[in-house]
Amino acid sequence: MNLLVALDALLETNSVTQAAERLHTSAPAMSRTLARLRRVLGDPLLVRAGRHLVPTPRALELRYEVGTLVEQARAVLTPRGAIDPAALKRSFAVQAGDAVLTELAAPLLATVRAQAPGVTLRFLPDTLEGTAALRDGRVDIEVGVIDHADPETTVRRVLGDRMIGIAAADHPLVTKRVTVARFAAAAHLSISRNGLARGPIDDRLALHGRTRRVVATVANLSTALFAVKDSDLVCPGPARLSRSVLPALGLRAFEIPLPLPELPIGMAWHPRNTADNGHRWLRELIATILTRSAETDPAQTDSDTPQPQLDSTRSRPNPVQPGLASA
């Protein structure tokens, strides 16, 4: 960087003395820098013509490019002032699944309308391919379980959620003791955008020598909750991100008696937006709302829900290994 700044000053002034004055250094020091630049670039850059120095053809070629690089570097290294959300006028495309939007949409809209009335939010379904949409600018920020890793994507973890069971209020898994055997014997609804019936729950049940009956798969949590509402079905769901919707639908949560992987909830965006003040403001706002919304865990605060019990009705030839709880 120092060489670029010195080269920019030399090419603009065509003078060692004036370049030294501009950079607040001595003429001998600038002469040594010019000698180093000549060695690095393999060109004399400035040559004497009478009492003055004139640029070589190579120096003339470099003048605009070097000046642009130095200006860009100065802009990068100049601290930006704090953003005023009230003066912000732009649109943000937020891609999120329905499980996240249940807790995020209403408080985010209320806060944005209060703090930044000139901002428009466009909520997009999580059907778009994450990396390409972020890279192409179709999506400004993705929120949810970020299941893709790409060097062109910046990912920030916001919180960790866990999987709970969800059923109607009078379901036996809500009103009675939960065991692995009873859980496996229930009629299950699976949530998968790709229509996959098998997942981590089945892998853990297999360790107990059990399988479950998945009667249907649906693409999102909202559909699953309405299907479970008036039936004997059970479905999995995120504990923290579903805490407000369960009471509204008359549903109850119960502990799944299996060690299941954590659900990492995060945000992803393209690196070009990392330093953007408006984008940073929205990221911090989303993180704050999600963290605040996740403070209550419905399965843990529901005193009427029996605590889960491991299956004691049969021996397990394949006991759960300790490391599987976080696999």
Side-chain angles (χ1 to χ4, degrees), residues 272-304:
R272 67 171 173 270
N273 291 317
T274 298
D276 180 78
N277 278 346
H279 198 279
R280 182 188 295 114
W281 168 78
L282 181 63
R283 296 196 306 264
E284 295 304 323
L285 188 57
I286 290 174
T288 299
I289 291 173
L290 287 179
T291 303
R292 185 172 62 240
S293 297
E295 290 177 354
T296 304
D297 189 327
Q300 291 180 341
T301 58
D302 190 349
S303 59
D304 296 330

Side-chain angles (χ1 to χ4, degrees), residues 229-249:
K229 181 176 180 294
D230 298 312
S231 72
D232 63 345
L233 298 172
V234 300
C235 74
R240 293 176 171 180
L241 293 182
S242 62
R243 73 179 183 90
S244 64
V245 71
L246 298 188
L249 294 177

